[in-house]
Amino acid sequence: RLQFYREMAAMVTCKELIKKDVKLAKMLKQLHAQGYKLGLLTNTGRPLVEKILEALGISFETFDVLATSTETELKPSEEPYIYIAKKLGVPPQDCAYVGDRYEMEIETAEKLDMITIMLRQSMLEDSSKRGCSDYTISSIYEIPSLLKKVSAAQDKFKQNSFWRVTKHVQAH
C-alpha cells in the first residue's frame, strides 16, 4: 500500500495545485498554543499528505498525531478514529471531529460519541442528504469561535453530563 501512495504522490504536483493558506496555518498554530490537541485523519496516503501540508504551509508539528491511510484503515471504519483518540491520549467521546461528508466521516464519529462538526462546503447543499451533526460550520475558519462557544456552554452546564469536554480536536 505504501508503494502505491509513494507513486501517487510522485505524480501530483501539489504546489502548483494548492495555494499556501497562511490563515489556516495560523489558526491551527493558535489552537495548538491554546492547549488543543490536534489530529489529522485522512484517507490519503502519508507521502501525498506530506506534499499537501507543505503546499499549504502547515508544518507537521502543528498536529499531535497524523493518521493517514498508510497507518490505518480507511474511513468510515471506526479504527482510524480510535487510533487518533488513543494517540492523543483521550477517549473518543472527549474528541471533536470536523468533517465535510456525513456518511464517510461524521456518522462514524457520532457512533463513537465524538462531538461532530460538519463543514458545509456550500450553503446550497441539500441538508436532508447529510444527516445531523452536533454543529455545522460553513468555513474551517469558524472552528476557534465555535470551540469557544462549546467550551462556554460546557462551563455553564458542568454539572450536567449532557456536555462533554472537548479540549481535543480532530481536523480532517
Side-chain angles (χ1 to χ4, degrees), residues 103-121:
E103 291 85 8
M104 186 62 108
E105 299 179 284
I106 299 295
E107 190 172 54
T108 303
E110 285 178 337
K111 287 179 187 174
L112 294 171
D113 202 27
M114 294 177 168
I115 289 180
T116 55
I117 303 169
M118 171 66 83
L119 174 58
R120 196 159 96 182
Q121 299 292 333

Side-chain angles (χ1 to χ4, degrees), residues 94-151:
D94 286 352
C95 296
Y97 184 86
V98 180
D100 61 358
R101 298 173 296 166
Y102 182 77
E103 291 85 8
M104 186 62 108
E105 299 179 284
I106 299 295
E107 190 172 54
T108 303
E110 285 178 337
K111 287 179 187 174
L112 294 171
D113 202 27
M114 294 177 168
I115 289 180
T116 55
I117 303 169
M118 171 66 83
L119 174 58
R120 196 159 96 182
Q121 299 292 333
S122 166
M123 298 308 282
L124 301 175
E125 289 177 9
D126 183 358
S127 61
S128 66
K129 293 181 180 177
R130 281 197 332 262
C132 288
S133 59
D134 295 316
Y135 300 94
T136 301
I137 57 177
S138 58
S139 166
I140 194 81
Y141 308 111
E142 294 176 46
I143 290 174
S145 61
L146 175 62
L147 291 176
K148 283 181 187 174
K149 290 176 189 174
V150 171
S151 293

Side-chain angles (χ1 to χ4, degrees), residues 1-9:
R1 190 160 56 166
L2 182 56
Q3 182 60 32
F4 168 77
Y5 292 128
R6 284 187 180 133
E7 290 173 11
M8 181 186 289

